[in-house]
C-alpha cells in the first residue's frame, strides 16, 4: 500500500516537471506579451487588440506588426500601441515583452526536444502505475485462466511438492537446506500471491539470519490453500460445471490478489506481536482492509444513481453554480461513504468476529474515520482547484500555470498524507515485526503533523479572510517538505520505490545461486555416502 502511495507522489512530481518545463520553454522563456495591448496605425485606425500570452512566431503575433530591431521590440514607423486601460501612445514595447528567446532561436531549438524526454518519463511512470493499481488484478486473472490447463496438469502438483519439501526443511531449521530448497523456487511456473509473499519473507529472513520457525505454520496454510485450489479446479474439470458463480474470476482473484481469502489466511497464521485481543483485532481488521477496493468498485453504481438525484437538486435550490461547485465533493464523499457501509456490513457481521465485537470496532472506527478524512481532504482540494479559475482562457498558460499546479499539488499530496497513514497501519499490522518506533514516526506521526499544519494554514486563509494565495502557498510548501523529508530519510528512495525492487531481485538471485550450490553440495555428500 505504501508503495502505491509514494508512486502516486512520484507521478505527480513527474507531471509537474513536464508541464513546468513546457511552460518555461513555450511561455515564460519565449517572447510573449505580458499585458493586453491595442495597436494602431499612422492614421489612428485600430489594427488589432491582443491579449497577453501571445507567443512570438504565432499567427496572432504576426498580426501585431512588432519588429525586433537592435535588441529592442518596436512598432513600424507611425504605429503606436496602448497598454491595458492606458491611453498613452507607446512605440517601444520592450518592457511589455516577456521571455528571453525567440521561437526561431537556436537555444529554443536545443531545449525543445527535452520535452519529449520528460513526457516519456510521464508515460513510463503512468503506465506501470495504472496497470498495478487498476488492471494488475485483471491481468493476473487473465494469465491464470490462460494457463489453467498447464496448471492443472503439472504446475499445481509441482507447487504442492515444493511447499511440502520446504515445510520439512523449515521444521529442521537448517539454513543451508532451506537455501537449497529456495533454489528450486525459481523453476516453479505456478506462484500464487500467498506463495510469493511467503517466499519473499523467507528470503528476507535468510538474509537477516533470523529464526525460520515462524514460517512452519504459515507454510502448512499455504500447502492447504494450494491443495484446496487444486481440488476445486480438478472437480470442475471433471464435471465441466463449476460449483459456484463467477468461478473463473474467483479462482483468478485468489491466485493474484493479496486480498484473497488464502492470502489473508497466510497473514493470520504468521506469529506477530498480536499478544492481546486488541492487537489481534488490529491485525485481523487490517487484513480485511486489503479487500476495501472491492467495495469501492461495488460503490460506483450506487454513487452514480445517488448523485444523478442529488446534484440537480443542489443546482435547483442552491442557485448559480452551486451544483457544479458541489459536484466533486458530493461525488467523492458519497462514493467513500457507500464503500465504507458495504465494507462494514460484510466484515463486521462475520461470525468469526462475534467473540471480539468490542475489540474489532476500535480499528474499524479508526480506519473508517481516516477514509472519511481522506475523502474530505480530496474533495476540499478539488474545490481549491476549481477556485483557481478558468484554465481555458487565452493567456492562462503563463499566469495560471503555477497557481493551478499548486492547488492540484496540495489536493494530491495532502490526500496522499492520509492515504500513507492508512497504508502504514495496514502494512505494519500484517508483518511479524509489527509497528516499530521508526515506522510510527515516519508513517503516522509526521504525516499527521504535516496534514494538520497544511490544513490549518488553508483554513486560516479562508476563515481569517487573509491573503489566500499566501496561505495556500504555505500549505503546499508544508506537504512538499514532508515528502522531500521522506525521500531524503531513505524510507522512500532506499526501501520503497525502484531501487529496493532492484535490490530485492539481486538478493533473490543470490539466494537462488546459493541454494543451488547448497543443493549440489548435498547431492555430492549423498553420492559419496552411497559409494561408501
Amino acid at each position: 500500500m505504501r508503495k502505491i502511495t509514494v508512486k502516486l507522489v512520484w507521478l505527480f512530481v513527474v507531471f509537474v516537471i513536464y508541464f513546468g518545463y513546457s511552460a518555461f520553454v513555450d511561455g515564460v522563456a519565449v517572447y510573449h506579451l505580458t499585458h493586453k495591448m491595442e495597436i494602431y496605425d499612422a492614421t489612428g485606425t485600430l489594427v488589432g487588440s491582443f491579449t497577453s500570452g501571445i507567443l512570438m512566431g504565432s499567427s496572432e503575433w504576426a498580426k501585431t506588426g512588432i519588429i525586433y530591431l537592435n535588441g529592442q521590440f518596436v512598432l513600424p514607423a507611425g504605429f503606436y500601441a496602448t497598454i491595458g486601460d492606458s491611453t498613452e501612445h507607446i512605440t517601444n514595447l520592450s518592457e511589455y515583452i516577456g521571455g528571453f528567446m525567440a521561437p526561431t532561436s537556436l537555444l529554443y531549438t536545443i531545449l525543445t526536444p527535452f520535452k519529449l524526454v520528460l513526457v516519456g518519463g510521464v508515460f513510463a511512470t503512468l503506465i506501470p502505475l495504472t496497470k498495478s493499481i487498476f488492471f494488475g488484478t485483471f491481468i493476473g486473472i487473465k494469465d491464470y485462466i490462460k494457463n489453467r490447463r498447464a496448471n492443472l496438469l503439472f504446475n499445481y502438483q509441482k507447487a504442492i511438492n515444493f511447499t511440502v519439501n520446504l515445510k520439512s526443511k523449515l521444521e529442521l531449521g537448517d539454513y543451508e537446506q532451506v537455501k537449497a530448497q529456495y533454489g528450486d523456487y525459481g523453476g516453479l511456473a505456478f506462484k500464487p500471491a500467498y506463495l510469493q509473499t511467503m517466499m519473499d519473507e523467507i528470503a528476507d529472513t535468510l538474509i537477516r539470519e533470523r529464526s525460520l520457525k515462524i514460517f512452519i505454520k504459515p507454510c502448512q496454510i499455504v500447502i492447504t490453500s494450494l491443495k484446496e485450489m487444486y481440488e476445486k479446479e480438478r472437480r470442475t474439470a471433471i464435471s465441466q460445471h463449476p460449483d459456484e458463480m463467477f468461478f473463473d474470476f474467483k479462482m483468478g482473484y485468489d491466485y493474484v490478489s493479496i486480498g484473497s481469502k488464502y492470502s489473508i489466511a497466510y497473514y493470520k497464521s504468521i506469529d506477530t506481536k498480536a499478544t492481546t485481543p486488541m492487537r489481534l483485532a488490529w491485525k485481523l481488521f487490517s487484513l480485511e482492509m486489503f479487500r476495501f477496493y472491492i467495495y469501492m468498485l461495488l460503490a460506483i453504481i450506487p454513487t452514480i444513481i445517488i448523485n444523478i438525484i442529488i446534484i440537480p437538486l443542489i443546482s435547483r435550490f442552491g442557485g448559480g453554480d452551486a451544483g457544479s461547485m458541489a459536484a466533486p465533493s458530493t461525488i467523492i464523499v458519497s462514493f467513500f461513504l457507500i464503500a465504507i457501509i458495504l465494507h462494514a456490513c460484510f466484515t463486521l457481521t462475520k461470525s468469526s468476529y462475534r467473540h471480539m465485537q468490542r475489540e474489532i470496532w476500535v480499528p474499524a472506527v479508526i480506519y473508517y474515520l481516516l477514509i472519511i478524512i481522506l475523502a474530505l481532504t480530496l474533495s476540499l482540494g478539488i474545490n481549491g482547484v476549481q477556485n483557481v479559475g478558468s484554465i481555458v482562457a487565452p493567456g492562462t498558460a503563463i499566469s495560471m500555470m503555477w497557481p493551478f499546479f499548486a492547488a492540484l499539488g496540495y489536493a494530491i499530496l495532502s490526500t496522499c498524507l492520509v492515504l500513507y497513514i492508512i497504508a502504514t497501519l495496514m502494512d505494519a499490522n500484517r508483518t511479524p515485526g509489527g509497528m516499530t518506533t521508526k515506522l510510527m514516526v515516519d508513517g503516522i506521526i509526521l504525516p499527521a503533523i504535516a496534514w494538520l499544519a497544511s490544513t490549518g494554514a488553508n483554513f486560516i486563509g479562508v476563515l481569517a479572510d487573509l491573503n489566500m494565495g499566501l496561505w495556500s502557498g504555505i500549505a503546499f510548501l508544508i506537504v512538499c517538505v514532508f515528502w522531500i523529508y521522506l525521500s531524503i530519510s531513505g524510507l522512500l528512495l532506499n526501501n520503497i520505490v525502484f531501487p529496493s525492487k532492484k535490490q530485492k531481485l539481486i538478493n533473490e538471485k543470490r539466494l537462488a545461486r546459493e541454494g543451488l550450490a547448497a543443493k549440489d553440495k548435498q547431492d555430492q555428500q549423498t553420492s559419496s555416502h552411497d559409494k561408501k
Side-chain angles (χ1 to χ4, degrees):
M1 278 295 295
R2 284 178 296 158
K3 294 179 183 179
I4 293 175
T5 305
V6 293
K7 284 179 181 178
L8 284 171
V9 174
W10 274 113
L11 179 62
F12 171 73
V13 170
V14 175
F15 265 105
V16 169
I17 292 173
Y18 167 70
F19 285 107
Y21 181 80
S22 297
F24 171 76
V25 172
D26 289 341
V28 180
V30 181
Y31 292 138
H32 60 278
L33 301 180
T34 59
H35 295 75
K36 179 183 176 182
M37 185 179 298
E38 292 183 346
I39 298 178
Y40 300 85
D41 62 15
T43 64
T45 304
L46 180 66
V47 174
S49 180
F50 306 96
T51 59
S52 60
I54 297 176
L55 301 183
M56 179 178 177
S58 69
S59 58
E60 288 297 311
W61 177 280
K63 297 177 184 178
T64 65
I66 298 173
I67 302 170
Y68 186 67
L69 183 64
N70 297 326
Q72 299 290 317
F73 289 98
V74 296
L75 289 170
F79 281 58
Y80 65 89
T82 60
I83 306 297
D85 296 329
S86 174
T87 57
E88 181 183 358
H89 293 191
I90 299 171
T91 56
N92 191 326
L93 303 176
S94 296
E95 61 179 297
Y96 304 106
I97 305 295
F100 55 82
M101 63 179 174
T104 54
S105 66
L106 175 60
L107 181 59
Y108 180 78
T109 304
I110 293 173
L111 293 177
T112 300
F114 286 98
K115 290 192 292 184
L116 298 176
V117 177
L118 290 173
V119 78
V122 170
F123 284 103
T125 310
L126 177 62
I127 293 173
L129 181 63
T130 304
K131 288 176 65 177
S132 64
I133 295 177
F134 300 106
F135 303 111
T137 301
F138 297 103
I139 292 173
I141 292 172
K142 179 183 176 182
D143 290 341
Y144 174 83
I145 296 173
K146 178 181 177 182
N147 299 317
R148 169 174 281 159
R149 177 174 294 182
N151 290 337
L152 193 56
L153 290 173
F154 313 110
N155 298 330
Y156 264 113
Q157 201 58 51
K158 288 181 180 179
I160 291 170
N161 292 339
F162 168 83
T163 317
V164 169
N165 291 333
L166 176 63
K167 182 174 179 288
S168 64
K169 304 295 193 300
L170 290 171
E171 289 172 342
L172 294 174
D174 190 317
Y175 274 77
E176 292 303 316
Q177 291 193 41
V178 174
K179 279 186 180 181
Q181 188 66 21
Y182 188 90
D184 294 335
Y185 175 63
L188 292 181
F190 186 78
K191 298 178 182 178
Y194 52 89
L195 177 59
Q196 291 184 40
T197 301
M198 182 180 72
M199 295 310 297
D200 288 343
E201 293 182 354
I202 288 176
D204 292 338
T205 304
L206 287 171
I207 293 170
R208 297 172 185 174
E209 297 184 357
R210 295 178 178 175
S211 174
L212 296 167
K213 296 291 185 180
I214 63 171
F215 293 106
I216 296 175
K217 183 179 177 182
C219 191
Q220 181 58 52
I221 295 296
V222 171
I223 294 170
T224 303
S225 300
L226 287 169
K227 288 181 177 180
E228 183 177 321
M229 288 185 69
Y230 173 68
E231 285 301 320
K232 284 183 179 180
E233 287 286 8
R234 191 177 68 84
R235 287 198 305 269
T236 302
I238 292 172
S239 65
Q240 293 296 306
H241 294 289
D243 297 335
E244 47 191 322
M245 293 179 63
F246 309 111
F247 180 77
D248 291 346
F249 178 83
K250 288 182 177 179
M251 293 298 293
Y253 177 78
D254 288 338
Y255 171 77
V256 75
S257 176
I258 61 171
S260 70
K261 64 178 182 180
Y262 298 120
S263 291
I264 290 178
Y266 165 78
Y267 283 120
K268 285 182 178 179
S269 67
I270 294 178
D271 184 17
T272 63
K273 294 182 179 180
T275 54
T276 65
M278 184 58 70
R279 288 186 177 181
L280 179 61
W282 269 101
K283 175 182 177 179
L284 295 177
F285 198 82
S286 296
L287 294 173
E288 295 288 355
M289 285 301 295
F290 281 94
R291 291 179 175 152
F292 189 78
Y293 74 90
I294 297 176
Y295 300 97
M296 291 175 67
L297 294 175
L298 296 176
I300 292 175
I301 294 177
T303 302
I304 293 172
I305 295 172
I306 289 173
N307 283 279
I308 286 175
I309 299 171
I310 291 178
I311 293 176
L313 291 176
I314 295 174
S315 298
R316 181 178 178 181
F317 296 105
D321 297 329
S324 59
M325 292 299 294
S329 298
T330 306
I331 293 171
I332 292 170
V333 173
S334 61
F335 171 70
F336 280 101
L337 283 177
I338 293 169
I340 287 172
I341 292 170
L342 291 173
H343 185 269
C345 290
F346 284 96
T347 303
L348 297 176
T349 56
K350 287 184 176 180
S351 58
S352 56
Y353 297 143
R354 286 177 183 172
H355 67 288
M356 54 187 311
Q357 276 294 314
R358 186 200 294 179
E359 291 84 1
I360 204 71
W361 269 98
V362 174
V365 169
I366 292 175
Y367 272 117
Y368 293 153
L369 181 61
L370 286 171
I371 292 172
I372 291 172
I373 292 173
L374 182 147
L376 292 174
T377 302
L378 180 59
S379 60
L380 291 174
I382 297 299
N383 281 337
V385 174
Q386 284 182 305
N387 292 332
V388 169
S390 173
I391 59 174
V392 299
T396 54
I398 301 167
S399 61
M400 300 290 287
M401 176 64 70
W402 299 117
F404 172 78
F405 272 105
L408 181 63
Y410 172 76
I412 294 174
L413 297 180
S414 60
T415 303
C416 284
L417 287 175
V418 185
L419 181 60
Y420 195 76
I421 294 173
I422 297 172
T424 300
L425 289 172
M426 292 171 62
D427 291 342
N429 284 290
R430 69 172 177 166
T431 57
M435 183 68 72
T436 63
T437 303
K438 179 172 174 54
L439 200 56
M440 174 73 76
V441 172
D442 282 346
I444 296 179
I445 295 175
L446 288 179
I449 293 173
W451 182 85
L452 288 170
S454 60
T455 305
N458 260 338
F459 273 103
I460 288 173
V462 173
L463 299 178
D465 196 22
L466 299 174
N467 187 335
M468 274 300 299
L470 173 63
W471 287 99
S472 296
I474 292 173
F476 179 62
L477 179 63
I478 291 170
V479 292
C480 285
V481 166
F482 168 77
W483 289 110
I484 291 171
Y485 158 77
L486 198 63
S487 301
I488 295 174
S489 70
L491 184 64
L492 180 61
L493 294 179
N494 298 328
N495 299 319
I496 294 179
V497 199
F498 307 107
S500 65
K501 188 175 182 180
K502 181 179 179 182
Q503 188 61 42
K504 179 181 174 183
L505 291 174
I506 293 172
N507 290 336
E508 288 179 351
K509 289 179 180 178
R510 179 173 62 80
L511 277 174
R513 288 196 300 269
E514 292 178 0
L516 292 173
K519 185 177 181 181
D520 291 341
K521 184 178 179 181
Q522 285 183 353
D523 292 342
Q524 291 175 2
Q525 290 176 348
T526 303
S527 176
S528 175
H529 180 74
D530 292 342
K531 288 180 180 179
K532 290 180 181 180

